[in-house]
Amino acid sequence: ANPNMADFSNRGFVHATCTVTGIHPAVTYASCSGCTRKLFHLDRATLKCSLCNTTVSASSVPHRWRVCVTVCDLHGDFHRVTVFGSAVDHVFGTTAAEYA
């Protein structure tokens, strides 16, 4: 952990004023509809959630965004931030499901 960075891991959403200076390659992932965790392939047609222990057909699995961005705060410091889910839809003008 970086001692100069605030830990907001258990506080929910954080609202900040910053400038996006770079968007790293956009990634979508097959997600569990119960917990949103990334699913892994059992075979070509079936995926499984390691947390919920559920299996789903690869053809009907929901997708979510996972996008890393570099931001610059009001102090001029740069930070890499990962944004998940539908918060990214308006940036790319499409949903992760449509993109995938």
Side-chain angles (χ1 to χ4, degrees):
N2 183 340
N4 299 320
M5 301 270 304
D7 179 10
F8 296 106
S9 60
N10 62 356
R11 294 192 181 120
F13 292 97
V14 175
H15 297 277
T17 300
C18 60
T19 301
V20 175
T21 61
I23 298 176
H24 308 280
V27 175
T28 65
Y29 65 95
S31 68
C32 175
S33 59
C35 70
T36 69
R37 177 176 234 134
K38 184 177 179 179
L39 301 174
F40 66 92
H41 285 272
L42 291 176
D43 54 47
R44 287 186 170 204
T46 311
L47 294 102
K48 182 175 183 174
C49 176
S50 61
L51 182 66
C52 298
N53 205 32
T54 57
T55 58
V56 294
S57 168
S59 63
S60 65
V61 68
H63 282 79
R64 287 175 49 92
W65 288 110
R66 177 190 174 275
V67 178
C68 293
V69 295
T70 303
V71 297
C72 180
D73 65 22
L74 296 176
H75 302 287
D77 297 324
F78 290 86
H79 308 278
R80 188 171 239 183
V81 178
T82 303
V83 184
F84 290 92
S86 60
V88 182
D89 291 354
H90 72 280
V91 174
F92 292 111
T94 187
T95 65
E98 292 167 344
Y99 182 82

